[in-house]
Amino acid sequence: MKEIMLGNKAFARGLYEAGAEVVSSYPGTPSTEITEEAAKYDDIYCEWAPNEKVAMETAFGACLAGKRSFCGMKHVGLNVAADPLFTISYTGVNAGMIICVADDPAMHSSQNEQDSRHYAIAAKVPMLEPADSSEALGFTKLAYELSEKYDTPVIIKMCTRIAHSQSIVDTEARVVPDVKPYEKNIAKYVMMPGNAIKRHPIVEQRTLDLIKYAEETPLNRIEEGKDNSIGIITSSTCYQYTKEALGDKYPVLKLGMVNPLPVEKIKSFAGSVEKVIVIEELDPVIENHCKTIGIEVTGKELFSIMGEFSQSVVAKALGEPEKEGCTAIDKLPVRPPVMCAGCPHRGLFYTLSKNKLNVLGDIGCYTLGAVAPLSAVDMTLCMGASISSLHGFNKALGKESENKTVCVIGDSTFMHSGMTSLANIAYNQSNSTVIILDNSITGMTGHQQNPTTGYNIKGDPAGKIDLEALCHAMGFNRVAVVDPYDLAETERVIKEELAADEASVIISRRPCALLKYVKHKPSLHVDTDKCKSCRACMRIGCPAISFKNNKAHVDNTLCVGCGVCQQLCKFDALLDKEGE
Amino acid sequence: MNNTTNVMIVGVGGQGSLLASKLLGHVVMTKGYDAKVSEVHGMSQRGGSVVTYVRFGDKVYSPVIDKGEADYIISFEVLEAARYLPFLKKDGKIIVNSQEIDPMPVITGAAEYPENLLDKMAELGVEVSAMDALALANEAGSQKAANIALMGRFSKFFEDITEEEWLKSIEACVPPKFLELNKKAFYLGRNS
């Protein structure tokens, strides 16, 4: 059946059709929807794991037990899961195992734009790279066959434009292969030095076998062109941009398997054209491979090592005419992302900003606490780094920083990799104040459940980790809970915990305003006679409040009546429906 | 490809551009076109400027629309329509909801919301079709249906897609309990 399908949904369809039975992932843009869509099939067991390392090890366990498994993550998630990856490469698999890594060139929703192909090379595992939804579906099915045939995990690399683009796919029925019975095999699966040293040559031989496969597979195909003065080697979205810009002008070698890369196929393609141009986003991986095997190519001399490309980027680099659009209107104000109206993080960040505290941040919606006018966050690095960095900061400066420095970390991020950092504070005893922003959901990636919410990926009741009990069990005597909508109480507690001469955890608890079960109050409105234009309400950076005719104005399409702005107005000009 | 139609759906994160693009992608697929729809998820969804690309024709390669390529810009907000003007072909058309939402630099006082943007766009020779989609959506029963009201207006530009075909795609894309609301909003937009 023909359907128009998001790349990530097509990937999930591929998992379903190929008979995948166990899926474990941690959400991360742009990979999240693969697992969300897979969870809609009752035949596949799906879960959100606390982090990517746990997810990959869970998927490994499932494939060891004999069932096809999957784990998905964003590019930076693979940093977290790199440890098991490098050794699963040695053990190989029993039933097939697929890992998806979704890169984010141009950093639409990421803290860096690392190129995940380096991981496939370093871990010596094959990597496929689909160029649209149809390939995402087909490559996933093929990847299980490769995984089982070559006894290796297979990585499928997505990127934002493939993951989050819909295109047309043909769907088929699900076929579940027989369970591969688990057999104890100490030499294959126990990676102590004596065994691992015997597995390494098997890995090297596997790469040689896969290179042979890369020479023959239709995944790497040559498309004829009219003009042989140039030949283009490309993959993924860059293939689409190339075809869009140039049609069938030049021959194209389209690579669907980006590790290991073929040698003879590239040499023969290069021999059929006068000049070879490599078009690839981010790092010159294909380009360097060509140079290593003695093929002269042009790549990063013409194309940037940063950001995303497009058809016009390709057209321009190859000397094609540029298109002209309508004239721009100058000096339009930018519209950066902001915390939503009613976001529980706002009241907390306002309090931190007001007290001029150093705030070490983490990954999530609350990274937006760094944006003006709150400008509350000093640092954001990676998942969990807020707590560990705070510990280091306070160890470095001692009393100088302890009473004016905090860290903020979301509930999901805390479960992901904040717990071990908190253990370091408990163990090595810095006088740190950790704030857990518990909005009862994984927010930024679009509302996924996590171990603190009490629900699983399907929304059914599940185990629920009690944050207060966890902190107490680690040895924290001071664990406070505040409602960030209550500014006075929030400020009182933060000051008290900063002043305390031992480490403390503050849980700022209020569910995300976008959660369906959260009931909103009616929009507030402004009594323009009472409004003295002092702009105090503007300090919280709420997108629902603006100034019209020199008076505060509340946008009733956005306001959810959280009441934080009312607490800042000394003139009682912000009123609810009852006029209070 | 030459016969590809390029539509950009732009607005402020949270306004419902995903559903609008899903609807358009669905209806053109049922007409037998090749189609690609490129969405925005993640951080930029949070109240930022969002853009979705819908492309359809005999064969579509790229999922994105570049400067000077858009046949239509459907905008949920006035400033966002102006922002993407360089993407519009010289003879392209803009369908815009007349709602104005202040971006954070305007809220903080670092910038001002530009005045008379609709007039400025018209002065540049752009065909602008402005409508109060929010009012139509409220008339239909909920302001959340403004996206479909806007798509109703847009649907008038495609004579080869019938009203019935649009309605079938709305049925396929919208949860049953919101179906009547969205159908009503679509009619109001189409007949506005």
Side-chain angles (χ1 to χ4, degrees), chain B residues 5 7 56 71-74 91-96 127-131 150-161 166 186 189-190 192:
Chain B
T5 302
V7 182
F56 55 97
D71 296 283
Y72 300 92
I73 291 176
I74 303 171
D91 59 349
K93 297 178 179 61
I94 292 182
I95 298 97
V96 57
E127 191 181 326
V128 181
S129 169
M131 65 188 287
L150 208 55
M151 293 307 287
R153 168 72 70 88
F154 173 71
S155 73
K156 290 201 294 189
F157 290 94
F158 291 94
E159 287 174 0
D160 63 332
I161 305 177
W166 280 103
F186 182 81
R190 191 169 166 93
S192 66

Side-chain angles (χ1 to χ4, degrees), chain A residues 4 33 109 161 164-166 241 244 310-312 323 325-326 333 335 337-338 443-444 538 541 546 548, chain B residues 1 29 36-39 41 43 46 49 55 62-64 66 69 77 80 83 88 101-102 104 107:
Chain A
I4 183 159
E33 299 80 11
S109 202
R161 293 298 178 192
H164 287 161
S165 291
Q166 301 177 35
Y241 301 145
E244 190 71 44
S310 67
Q311 50 268 36
S312 70
K323 289 173 184 147
C326 292
R335 190 187 300 274
V338 291
M444 178 60 82
M538 305 293 282
S546 56
K548 302 259 190 266
Chain B
M1 302 299 280
M29 187 201 66
K36 279 194 177 158
V37 179
S38 198
E39 306 172 350
H41 297 246
M43 181 174 270
R46 299 274 173 265
S49 170
R55 312 188 67 224
S62 173
V64 301
D66 243 321
E69 290 184 345
E77 199 273 346
E80 295 312 306
R83 187 184 313 285
L88 194 67
I101 301 175
D102 286 352
M104 198 45 68
I107 290 175

Side-chain angles (χ1 to χ4, degrees), chain A residues 134-210:
Chain A
S134 174
E135 287 191 353
L137 195 165
F139 284 18
T140 302
K141 292 168 80 172
L142 177 68
Y144 276 121
E145 289 172 28
L146 291 177
S147 173
E148 286 162 9
K149 183 176 174 191
Y150 291 92
D151 192 9
T152 177
V154 176
I155 303 176
I156 298 183
K157 175 179 170 270
M158 299 285 275
C159 65
T160 301
R161 293 298 178 192
I162 305 298
H164 287 161
S165 291
Q166 301 177 35
S167 57
I168 293 166
V169 301
D170 253 322
T171 56
E172 292 174 358
R174 172 171 167 95
V175 179
V176 183
D178 293 337
V179 175
K180 297 198 163 194
Y182 169 67
E183 284 171 22
K184 186 164 177 153
N185 187 342
I186 290 174
K188 185 172 188 290
Y189 295 122
V190 182
M191 285 302 95
M192 52 188 177
N195 291 341
I197 211 158
K198 291 177 190 134
R199 291 297 301 176
H200 191 180
I202 296 172
V203 172
E204 298 302 330
Q205 182 58 46
R206 181 178 73 205
T207 298
L208 296 176
D209 295 343
L210 281 163

Side-chain angles (χ1 to χ4, degrees), chain A residues 331-333, chain B residues 105-106 109-115:
Chain A
K331 293 178 187 161
L332 296 177
Chain B
V106 172
E112 282 185 21
Y113 196 100
E115 290 182 341

Side-chain angles (χ1 to χ4, degrees), chain A residues 311-491:
Chain A
Q311 50 268 36
S312 70
V313 168
V314 173
K316 194 177 172 191
L318 276 95
E320 301 289 320
E322 282 182 73
K323 289 173 184 147
E324 208 185 325
C326 292
T327 314
I329 297 175
D330 287 342
K331 293 178 187 161
L332 296 177
V334 295
R335 190 187 300 274
V338 291
M339 280 190 282
C340 309
C343 177
H345 302 326
R346 178 172 287 105
L348 184 98
F349 280 121
Y350 171 74
T351 308
L352 300 180
S353 180
K354 182 185 167 196
N355 287 282
K356 298 188 170 56
L357 302 178
N358 303 318
V359 180
L360 304 183
D362 223 296
I363 305 288
C365 289
Y366 46 94
T367 308
L368 294 170
V371 176
L374 294 168
S375 308
V377 177
D378 294 57
M379 183 284 298
T380 300
L381 189 64
C382 64
M383 298 285 281
S386 60
I387 300 180
S388 357
S389 305
L390 174 66
H391 174 73
F393 203 87
N394 285 338
K395 281 291 179 190
L397 295 178
K399 290 207 181 308
E400 209 182 304
S401 66
E402 286 166 2
N403 62 357
K404 58 177 184 189
T405 310
V406 299
C407 74
V408 292
I409 183 166
D411 48 332
S412 187
T413 307
F414 178 71
M415 281 292 125
H416 179 284
S417 41
M419 283 188 290
T420 43
S421 306
L422 196 66
N424 198 29
I425 291 178
Y427 172 46
N428 287 310
Q429 303 269 303
S430 61
N431 181 10
S432 293
T433 303
V434 172
I435 302 177
I436 300 176
L437 305 169
D438 180 9
N439 65 348
S440 308
I441 204 71
T442 313
M444 178 60 82
T445 44
H447 286 177
Q448 289 74 32
Q449 303 296 340
N450 69 56
T452 67
T453 66
Y455 295 94
N456 66 19
I457 191 169
K458 287 184 185 282
D460 296 327
K464 180 174 165 60
I465 290 175
D466 181 329
L467 287 172
E468 293 92 311
L470 177 74
C471 297
H472 283 305
M474 281 192 180
F476 288 85
N477 298 314
R478 305 186 67 97
V479 180
V481 179
V482 296
D483 175 359
Y485 276 5
D486 184 341
L487 295 182
E489 178 65 4
T490 299
E491 183 167 13

